[in-house]
Amino acid sequence: MKKIVAAALMAAAAGLYAIPATAQEDGLSLEGKTIGVAVVGTQHFWDREAFNGATTTVEELGGTVVPVDGGRDNQVHADNHDVLLNRGVDAVISILGDGAVEPKFEALKSAGIPVFTVDHPSPYSTNNTTSDNYTMGTTIGRYMADAIGGKGKVAVFNAFEESLRICGIRTGLWKYVLQDYPEIEIIQPELAEEFANAPEDARRQTLDLLSQYPEGTIDAIHVGCWDQPAIGIVQALEETGRTEIKVTALDGGPETLEIMAEEGSPFVANVAQQPYLIGATSAENVARYFAGEELLPQTYVDVMPVNGPEEARQAYEDLGYGSLN
Amino acid sequence: MLSRSIARHRLMAELVGFLPLIIFLALLTYVGLNAPNFMTLFNLKLVLMQSLPVVLLVTGLSAVVMAGGDDVVSGGIDLSIPATAVLCAGITAVLLASGLSLFVASLAALAAALAAGAVNAVLITRLRMTPLLTTLAMFVALVGINNMVTSRRRINLTDGHIGLLREDFVFGIPLGIVIVALVVLVAYHLLHRTRWGLNLQAAGGSRDAAEISGLKVDRLVAQSYLLAAFMGFLTGFFVLARGNGYSPGVENNLMLEMVLANFLGAAFSPRRVVTMWGAVLGAVLVAAISIGLKTIGVNVFWTDLVKGALILVVVALSAISQRVQ
């Protein structure tokens, strides 16, 4: 059964990776167009991969890229859109960001420059390319509940549920699934992770949490929207010898898949995304827009549920990160 | 023969002293000629708008440096102003979101800022703690308090008045630029045209001489920290306007830019000392170069390297110039 699932995943991944080639076969082109690509930061794998996917694809389609990086500061990221507006680009691909970007999107739209967002639904966006966040939220809810036998206390890092729509979907659906597990209790208050220094911050907060909850009083720690904090959480659990606590998160970057792949790892479940493909798909959507195609408001890119070390190793390989065997 | 050698030496010192300005102007010219739409009024507005928070911060910092002397380690410095600004933004955002009026929220933020300034003043003038370490510790403490206040969450702007700071006011000039220009002019008058300002400079120039001549140096230094905290309070509104609300993690970038602009400004002063005008000019130039590099389309992985190298060169030349003189 596992082989069938793995084969299906590989086929799906192969199919998805084939999209750029298909795009070129479709005759899509950005020849003569200048496309601004604004990314909130390039420190984290996900952001960097989405950025690389967008910029490489724009160039492959014949366009010129004007790249700007917010350095993981949402205000700098928002300001960078003003620079692109003044630069007079033909379109903007905006990767992540919080509410600070909305007035900038509005200004770009008013100036006749279409905005294509990545993981940021906005009323001013022509199209938003994103993962299937609905599947991510429900799947991780089920996996986490299974990992702790359907009962116990769970701490959650959840800084972005109310401020970022994608995080609202993921965390909201995780909580929705947990409604069917009345014996699972979410520890209050919820924890809030830092944006810029996530692993170290989460490590410190987890150590504080563990000092408040002695052995046997906490069963899992979940990160509501991404997986960088999970790196620090696992470090804290290993430092204190509390690896009986299960860790779950979302994104499935190579660093966290590596941690998951270790035998006996407390990091038990994840849902992997394909950030490079998301960035590339957004760039193709820009080309489709200029070719006169009608775009849907949202383009969803498939995700890959990862449950346990064996699937982590398989996902690592399927996503093209190399081999962990 | 000796006099000719001295004259040549002085000429050399003058030339080295002017090199930072020459380098900046050369780079600006290069950027201006190569970056599309750089030499436009819109871009000038953009540069000024993006530099507003840093301009306010360096105005406060330059007062502290003037009063305490410009030795980075033992002189006057206040690294906590960006954290004060972000704390004020956080308090204002939280109180506005909870339904309180802008007036009440502003009063609470002002009280917090002045309390931070007063604590700095007491620790430095009464306990004789080093300003660098004291204000760095205060920075960390204020960030911690802010994390408690905001729960490290994004808070969208709910009051339209603050948003007006980024809207056009008259002849296409945003209200924010008008207000900051007025604040800078008032600060200039206060620091350079009043007896208090001259006493402040005398205290920083030579503490012993100032004390012998009857000046109450500790009181002046304490007042400079309160002024800096007040500038932090004002900056808080611009942080909120710029980000369309409160976004966590803004303080680090602000601190870096504030320190850079302040000491870069010294390179433009004939005596290589920190001045308010030099610091303000430094803030605007840092924003201009930053926008110029982005507009040209410099690889995002190289931008920080280019900026950092440029600053190192300017500061090194400033040091060489001082030594030659």
Side-chain angles (χ1 to χ4, degrees), chain A residues 15 73 76 109 153 180 207 226 267 279 291 299 304 307 312:
Chain A
D73 182 331
V76 176
K109 191 177 178 185
K153 283 190 175 178
D180 293 333
L207 290 173
W226 55 327
F267 199 153
T299 301
M304 197 178 287
N307 198 3

Side-chain angles (χ1 to χ4, degrees), chain A residues 213-227:
Chain A
Y213 289 89
E215 203 159 343
T217 58
I218 182 167
D219 299 280
I221 302 175
H222 175 64
V223 189
C225 194
W226 55 327
D227 64 2

Side-chain angles (χ1 to χ4, degrees), chain A residues 186-201:
Chain A
I186 300 172
I187 293 171
Q188 298 296 329
E190 293 176 351
L191 302 165
E193 69 271 36
E194 264 186 8
F195 193 47
N197 188 26
E200 178 50 29
D201 167 71

Side-chain angles (χ1 to χ4, degrees), chain B residues 69-234:
Chain B
D70 60 1
D71 187 300
V72 177
V73 178
S74 60
I77 195 161
D78 188 350
L79 298 179
S80 68
I81 320 174
T84 305
V86 177
L87 173 64
C88 289
I91 289 173
T92 307
V94 167
L95 294 182
L96 287 177
S98 69
L100 289 173
S101 69
L102 179 59
F103 179 71
V104 174
S106 303
L107 278 183
L110 179 61
L114 293 180
V119 172
N120 274 338
V122 168
L123 294 176
I124 289 161
T125 60
R126 299 289 173 195
L127 298 185
R128 300 278 170 221
M129 288 172 64
T130 317
L132 184 73
L133 293 177
T134 307
T135 57
L136 185 61
M138 180 59 76
F139 177 92
V140 177
L142 293 178
V143 170
I145 295 169
N146 196 32
N147 286 340
M148 299 277 288
V149 171
T150 61
S151 303
R152 301 187 204 192
R153 288 165 204 270
R154 159 84 191 174
I155 301 163
N156 287 322
L157 196 61
T158 53
D159 186 285
H161 293 94
I162 296 173
L164 291 176
L165 291 175
R166 61 166 186 260
E167 302 292 333
D168 284 350
F169 173 62
V170 61
F171 301 124
I173 303 171
L175 180 63
I177 293 178
V178 175
I179 290 176
V180 171
L182 287 173
V183 170
V184 167
L185 284 173
V186 169
Y188 172 75
H189 179 76
L190 195 65
L191 293 172
H192 292 276
R193 289 282 180 269
T194 64
R195 180 187 291 270
W196 180 79
L198 296 175
N199 288 344
L200 202 71
Q201 291 180 49
S206 169
R207 184 183 177 99
D208 292 341
E211 279 176 345
I212 290 166
S213 64
L215 292 181
K216 292 191 164 109
V217 173
D218 279 345
R219 185 184 291 181
L220 287 164
V221 170
Q223 286 165 349
S224 74
Y225 281 99
L226 285 173
L227 177 62
F230 181 74
M231 297 310 291
F233 162 71
L234 290 184

